Amino acid sequence: TKLEMQEFDKDYTTQIIKNSNAIAEAFVSLGYDVRKANTGRYSENHQAHVYIDTKGDRLTMYKNLLRNKISTNFQGEELGTRLYIRVGTAEITRRGMKEPEMQLIAGLVDRALQGEDVISEIAKLNSQFTKILFSFDN
């Protein structure tokens, strides 16, 4: 709600940006190229742009993500001439995930892109974060 955002906006948005940069760094450590913002950091908002154009067939990768119930903005969009996915951190931040979880998530997405079945690991991670933070309810 509007009142919650007035109360929690600074903490919430700060953590979103920390998570976006952490997940970008995690993807880089896994061998991905990640777009940087004009500030030199990977992100100044709720998303990281992870290039996938060198990682395989995009339709196969898309199907692998869907099969694992991983949601990204994978619309075949191009940034310049490179294909990428947009990985958002707003919802996972609201659920209380922080930088350590970004490492786990990047690893799960990477494995899913390669065709592994990681859905049970995703469910286990999600089960640890069931509350909504940055809310008057907590």
Side-chain angles (χ1 to χ4, degrees), residues 41-67:
R41 296 195 315 171
Y42 290 107
S43 181
E44 297 298 337
N45 59 35
H46 65 282
Q47 56 187 288
H49 297 162
V50 181
Y51 294 109
I52 58 158
D53 53 342
T54 62
K55 298 298 181 181
D57 176 68
R58 74 179 185 183
L59 182 57
T60 300
M61 290 186 289
Y62 177 68
K63 288 177 180 178
N64 291 342
L65 292 177
L66 284 179
R67 187 173 53 255

Side-chain angles (χ1 to χ4, degrees), residues 16 19-20 23 45-47 87-94 102:
I16 286 172
N19 284 351
S20 294
I23 205 162
N45 59 35
H46 65 282
Q47 56 187 288
V87 180
T89 60
E91 182 60 28
I92 56 180
T93 301
R94 189 134 162 101
M102 300 308 106

Side-chain angles (χ1 to χ4, degrees), residues 35-130:
R35 177 179 174 250
K36 286 192 174 183
N38 60 6
T39 60
R41 296 195 315 171
Y42 290 107
S43 181
E44 297 298 337
N45 59 35
H46 65 282
Q47 56 187 288
H49 297 162
V50 181
Y51 294 109
I52 58 158
D53 53 342
T54 62
K55 298 298 181 181
D57 176 68
R58 74 179 185 183
L59 182 57
T60 300
M61 290 186 289
Y62 177 68
K63 288 177 180 178
N64 291 342
L65 292 177
L66 284 179
R67 187 173 53 255
N68 280 285
K69 299 189 186 313
I70 295 174
S71 176
T72 67
N73 258 330
F74 189 122
Q75 300 171 339
E77 297 180 38
E78 291 188 18
L79 189 61
T81 58
R82 299 199 62 195
L83 187 67
Y84 70 98
I85 56 175
R86 291 184 288 166
V87 180
T89 60
E91 182 60 28
I92 56 180
T93 301
R94 189 134 162 101
R95 292 179 62 188
M97 295 185 196
K98 293 186 176 180
E99 293 90 338
E101 288 77 34
M102 300 308 106
Q103 289 283 331
L104 295 171
I105 292 168
L108 291 168
V109 172
D110 175 53
R111 290 171 48 210
L113 284 168
Q114 295 177 49
E116 286 188 46
D117 180 0
V118 296
I119 199 163
S120 63
E121 293 173 71
I122 292 169
K124 182 179 176 184
L125 177 61
N126 281 332
S127 72
Q128 298 170 26
F129 295 91
T130 58

